[in-house]
Amino acid sequence: AVVTVYYTTNGTDPTDASTLYTTPLLISSDVTIKAIAYTDVVGQLPSSVSTKVITVDASGAPGCVSNLIVAQG
């Protein structure tokens, strides 16, 4: 099965019309990432929405989210 992950950074729940996750995200300020996974299996519902709150440390050094873990529901 092919699984595609979509995400948002504006606090809204993602859908299959949201940004497609293809590469690590560079994080330079505090952000809430919400992600959802869809599969190409007929009849399979999308995952539940996963939320990750990222707080940049006091130095302001950018971080990187190399993977988003989305539980298949």
Side-chain angles (χ1 to χ4, degrees):
V2 175
V3 176
T4 51
V5 176
Y6 298 89
Y7 70 94
T8 62
T9 57
N10 64 2
T12 61
D13 285 347
T15 67
D16 60 353
S18 299
T19 304
L20 177 63
Y21 177 73
T22 57
T23 61
L25 307 176
L26 182 61
I27 306 299
S28 59
S29 61
D30 296 353
V31 66
T32 298
I33 300 171
K34 292 187 174 189
I36 193 167
Y38 288 83
T39 178
D40 64 350
V41 175
V42 175
Q44 178 73 45
L45 297 175
S47 69
S48 57
V49 173
S50 294
T51 302
K52 176 75 174 177
V53 177
I54 299 178
T55 304
V56 175
D57 68 22
S59 72
C64 182
V65 177
S66 61
N67 59 19
L68 296 174
I69 298 173
V70 181
Q72 189 65 24

